[in-house]
Amino acid sequence: MEERFAAAVAAARAVATLEEYGRLIEDLRDAAGAGPEALRVGAAATRDADPVVRKTACDLLGAVANQHPALRADAATAVLALEPTEIHPDVLWAMVRALGQTGDRRAVPLLVELARHDDADVRYMVASMLPWVRDDDDADGLAALLRLCRDNEVGVREWATYGLGQLTSADGAMVRDLLWEATTDEDEDVRAEGARGLARRRDHRALPLVAELLQTPEYDVFNQLAAGYLGEASLVPLLLAYAPDEQSAAEALRECDPVRRAARDAFAADLFDALSADRTGVALYGTRCETGLTLAVGDRTWSVEDLLDDTGGDPAEAARRVTADLTA
């Protein structure tokens, strides 16, 4: 393992393009298959005096975390051990990337601090990874993400706005005002992320913006999902322009088309009645930032839409399948 890591460090010294860095990451992913041994080598290398070695160690530890969930906490501990003294921007960039792959909440204070770093590449990586390590109850992480949405670098703004809009369920006037502000950004990608983030919170100020996005020539699944969140009949003709077998378009049509939505809701109600007749703890619910309905029985859940599609819309058959799952 030491030889493989040394070869990766040598390759890292020669990296000059994103393509070459991508090949290096693929090699490290392969090396990370060794699990505990890769973790040991990576953790030891974080203490090296050479920043190229430390950066490569963080890349390896991130790959370990990505492949081995049981090792994520140990990988995060090894990366976070660098935090008190590390100042090299390239290493900080790799640290943030690795911590995002661990999903470890202990990384939030460091990422909040680095959200103010002078290096735009470091802030870019923080914008990309902060949503993966914070939760919606973390006020400091949210404040940092909101600040990054107003960064002077367009790439940072785009990723922060995407993360805020699509990877968190944070809501409220402050969040919505910032997403609305993003819809007037000088960059079209930031504007689109602002519109889609607003739509995901079912804010109907986004309706004309989403309608415009659905008519752009570039295919983007997030535009169709945004339409589904809004659930507006006026978007149906725009969604019908997409191929009927595209799942995201079909899901959005089910939310926007009053006839299809009514059929789904009637199926859900009949399914609820069939299951509630002889058991307790049955519930139906939807969430603001997700489309569709969920059926819950105790701590078990099913997608109502999946049950509808799998049974051809027969609530009695769906009830039998749920019962079979519960008794299996």
Side-chain angles (χ1 to χ4, degrees):
M1 186 65 213
E2 282 83 356
E3 291 181 0
R4 294 192 67 176
F5 182 73
V9 170
R13 296 190 195 283
V15 164
T17 66
L18 285 175
E19 183 179 357
E20 290 172 350
Y21 182 66
R23 287 197 294 268
L24 171 62
I25 290 298
E26 286 300 319
D27 290 342
L28 289 171
R29 285 175 182 161
D30 186 54
E37 182 66 7
L39 175 68
R40 180 189 66 79
V41 170
T46 61
R47 298 188 289 272
D48 197 277
D50 186 337
V52 176
V53 175
R54 298 197 303 277
K55 180 181 184 302
T56 308
C58 290
D59 286 337
L60 176 59
L61 290 167
V64 169
N66 193 45
Q67 293 187 39
H68 304 280
L71 299 178
R72 284 176 183 165
D74 290 336
T77 297
V79 175
L80 286 168
L82 279 159
E83 187 264 335
T85 58
E86 187 59 63
I87 60 172
H88 197 288
D90 290 347
V91 183
L92 291 171
W93 184 95
M95 287 172 62
V96 174
R97 184 175 180 275
L99 289 168
Q101 291 174 290
T102 70
D104 197 300
R105 299 290 183 265
R106 292 176 294 165
V108 171
L110 174 60
L111 270 60
V112 167
E113 177 185 346
L114 292 177
R116 296 183 181 275
H117 199 275
D118 291 340
D119 190 286
D121 288 338
V122 173
R123 299 197 309 276
Y124 175 92
M125 190 52 65
V126 173
S128 302
M129 294 301 169
L130 185 54
W132 297 105
V133 299
R134 68 167 294 275
D135 57 41
D136 285 339
D137 294 327
D138 174 34
D140 290 340
L142 177 60
L145 193 59
L146 293 172
R147 187 167 58 253
L148 290 167
C149 288
R150 293 190 172 108
D151 197 90
N152 59 4
E153 291 289 334
V154 63
V156 177
R157 292 200 307 277
E158 179 187 350
W159 274 98
T161 308
Y162 165 73
L164 176 67
Q166 301 299 326
L167 301 181
T168 85
S169 298
D171 203 358
M174 184 167 55
V175 170
R176 294 191 184 204
D177 287 349
L178 194 147
L179 290 168
W180 179 247
E181 178 184 318
T183 66
T184 61
D185 194 273
E186 64 183 9
D187 182 79
E188 64 177 346
D189 292 327
V190 178
R191 295 197 299 271
E193 294 301 349
R196 292 187 287 243
L198 274 179
R200 188 163 174 259
R201 285 148 183 84
R202 305 181 190 267
D203 188 317
H204 283 256
R205 288 179 294 175
L207 179 57
L209 305 174
V210 170
E212 184 179 347
L213 288 171
L214 286 171
Q215 297 174 76
T216 57
E218 295 81 11
Y219 175 85
D220 194 318
V221 66
F222 288 107
N223 294 338
Q224 297 166 42
L225 293 174
Y229 297 129
L230 293 172
E232 284 284 346
S234 62
L235 297 175
V236 169
L238 300 175
L239 290 167
L240 289 173
Y242 290 89
D245 58 346
E246 289 174 0
Q247 182 178 354
S248 54
E251 291 174 357
L253 278 168
R254 185 173 276 160
E255 299 295 331
C256 293
D257 185 338
V259 175
R260 301 184 201 207
R261 187 170 63 242
R264 186 274 312 278
D265 292 350
F267 169 84
D270 290 343
L271 174 58
F272 177 85
D273 290 343
L275 289 168
S276 299
D278 58 1
R279 70 176 66 244
T280 60
V282 182
L284 276 173
Y285 62 88
T287 59
R288 174 172 291 171
C289 290
E290 301 297 334
T291 58
L293 295 175
T294 297
L295 170 75
V297 181
D299 59 356
R300 299 283 300 278
T301 61
W302 295 259
S303 161
V304 168
E305 288 74 18
D306 286 349
L307 288 169
L308 186 153
D309 292 340
D310 292 346
T311 64
D314 183 345
E317 173 60 22
R320 285 192 288 272
R321 294 193 184 193
V322 170
T323 301
D325 286 346
L326 290 167
T327 57

